[in-house]
Amino acid sequence: MTLKKNPFKEFDGQSPYEFGVSDRHLIQISPLDDQNVYLTKNQGGLALFNTNEGKFEPLPFTFDENYKARISSVYVDSHKRTWMKVAKVGYFRLNPDEDKPQLIDTGSLPEFSQVESYKITEDKKGNIWLGTRVGVYKLSVDEQGDVTKIEALNDNPYFENFKMTLARFVYVDPEQDFVWVGTAEDGLFRVSIKDDPLLKNAKIKHLRKDKKEGGLPNNFVSAITRTPNGNLWIGTEGAGICKVENSEKEPVFIPFTEKDGLSNNVVKSINVDNAGNLWIATNVDLNKFYPKEKKVSKVRKRRRSAI
């Protein structure tokens, strides 16, 4: 695929379909299968989009209409279970063989039901991790999909004198026994999950902005990912992207910014293609970054001609 051939499709905010989203303010995309993806809106609401047909489809489950309009986050795990948050109600789980989502029992940590999540992901053992406004949570899940335990990372003694907030991105490292957490104000955290410890016992490394060479250049870490060759990358809102070397010991950050060709230093997200290139959504344009060549291609929206 080349950028000269336009692979992008645009949703203009005026959905002609009975099922869909009513505006462009989408905050989460979660694949249901090879052709269908869930979309959630900024103000709540869930839609299912068929990428092959290019149209919205009815949701594949039965749910109270008021709940549908208040779904603020969604995630489909490796077992095809769908996890979703309904504002002011709680978290629900839908198993692949069920028609109606079930409310998760949060009796072990009642306050969790009202926590809004930014990011939901899954570790190798099938546990569910959530980055939220008030820190990071881990749901231990059994083979039937039932939640057996809910833990808060803020219960770790490391946070005795301050609490993690605005955990915008949670990334389960596919190569190391770590979970990385990017926050909006407190930099980057590395949580060791070797031997699956209780979160209150997990070893934590905290990396904050450091003006020294190789230091973290910004405390707002918005994206974290590894490329197929094993390199770790982060995105920041204010200092571009960084390649992270020596990530398993004392991380060293190598920045790439507007000076190196990025459209903007405010990075919203990073996705990796099969060739190991980074697709970077900035505050201005979509950039395609070629790590080997250290080259950037910019994708800009074509302006419509005036009539």
Side-chain angles (χ1 to χ4, degrees):
M1 181 182 69
T2 66
L3 297 185
K4 293 181 180 180
K5 295 180 180 180
N6 188 2
F8 300 99
K9 306 297 180 184
E10 180 181 8
F11 170 62
D12 64 8
Q14 301 297 321
S15 174
Y17 305 102
E18 180 181 357
F19 308 93
V21 291
S22 59
D23 57 47
R24 300 187 186 191
H25 297 282
L26 305 176
I27 58 172
Q28 288 186 347
I29 301 175
S30 184
L32 175 61
D33 51 40
D34 291 340
Q35 67 180 40
N36 295 291
V37 296
Y38 282 120
L39 310 172
T40 55
K41 294 196 310 178
N42 189 36
Q43 299 300 321
L46 180 69
L48 182 66
F49 189 75
N50 186 318
T51 59
N52 283 357
E53 300 294 330
K55 66 179 183 180
F56 291 98
E57 304 280 5
L59 294 177
F61 55 84
T62 302
F63 214 24
D64 185 290
E65 290 299 323
N66 290 327
Y67 284 4
K68 286 182 182 179
R70 289 157 58 187
I71 295 173
S72 55
S73 57
V74 63
Y75 176 74
V76 181
D77 68 20
S78 62
H79 299 279
K80 298 301 178 182
R81 304 183 188 110
T82 301
W83 303 81
M84 60 191 82
K85 173 67 167 70
V86 176
K88 299 182 179 180
V89 179
Y91 284 87
F92 289 77
R93 184 208 66 235
L94 176 70
N95 286 334
D97 58 346
E98 296 176 342
D99 177 63
K100 187 175 181 180
Q102 302 297 316
L103 183 65
I104 294 173
D105 181 6
T106 59
S108 62
L109 196 65
E111 64 269 25
F112 173 73
S113 65
Q114 299 305 314
V115 172
E116 293 291 338
S117 59
Y118 293 118
K119 174 72 175 179
I120 306 176
T121 191
E122 177 185 13
D123 66 22
K124 299 172 185 176
K125 294 181 179 292
N127 302 311
I128 300 298
W129 293 73
L130 302 95
T132 79
R133 295 181 181 181
V134 290
V136 171
Y137 292 84
K138 174 187 171 185
L139 310 184
S140 296
V141 181
D142 64 19
E143 293 181 358
Q144 288 71 43
D146 293 326
V147 175
T148 60
K149 182 167 51 186
I150 303 175
E151 300 173 79
L153 187 59
N154 272 331
D155 288 338
N156 189 289
Y158 182 85
F159 299 102
E160 181 178 359
N161 297 319
F162 80 103
K163 298 300 180 184
M164 180 195 294
T165 60
L166 303 178
R168 298 298 295 268
F169 203 91
V170 179
Y171 181 71
V172 178
D173 198 318
E175 295 203 356
Q176 304 289 338
D177 290 324
F178 297 134
V179 169
W180 298 86
V181 182
T183 71
E185 297 176 345
D186 292 322
L188 180 67
F189 293 84
R190 188 185 70 194
V191 183
S192 175
I193 58 171
K194 185 178 181 181
D195 300 323
D196 197 22
L198 295 174
L199 289 192
K200 66 180 182 181
N201 298 328
K203 294 180 180 179
I204 297 173
K205 185 171 184 61
H206 187 186
L207 299 145
R208 290 183 57 82
K209 182 178 178 180
D210 189 340
K211 294 183 179 180
K212 295 179 182 178
E213 184 177 354
L216 181 68
N218 192 284
N219 278 331
F220 195 146
V221 178
S222 56
I224 309 165
T225 191
R226 278 196 191 271
T227 51
N229 65 359
N231 289 330
L232 184 68
W233 293 82
I234 66 167
T236 72
E237 290 213 13
I241 64 172
C242 293
K243 181 181 178 182
V244 186
E245 296 187 343
N246 203 37
S247 62
E248 72 280 7
K249 295 180 181 179
E250 291 295 330
V252 176
F253 300 87
I254 303 173
F256 295 86
T257 66
E258 293 174 11
K259 295 180 180 179
D260 303 293
L262 291 185
S263 294
N264 190 268
N265 284 335
V266 176
V267 173
K268 296 295 186 179
S269 65
I270 302 175
N271 284 286
V272 183
D273 63 26
N274 292 334
N277 302 310
L278 307 182
W279 290 80
I280 304 163
T282 76
N283 218 23
V284 177
D285 296 319
L286 176 64
N287 290 176
K288 184 179 182 181
F289 180 73
Y290 302 83
K292 291 182 180 179
E293 299 84 359
K294 298 183 176 62
K295 185 179 70 173
V296 178
S297 293
K298 299 175 182 178
V299 183
R300 293 189 173 95
K301 181 179 178 181
R302 181 181 299 170
R303 294 184 178 181
R304 296 176 180 176
S305 302
I307 298 176

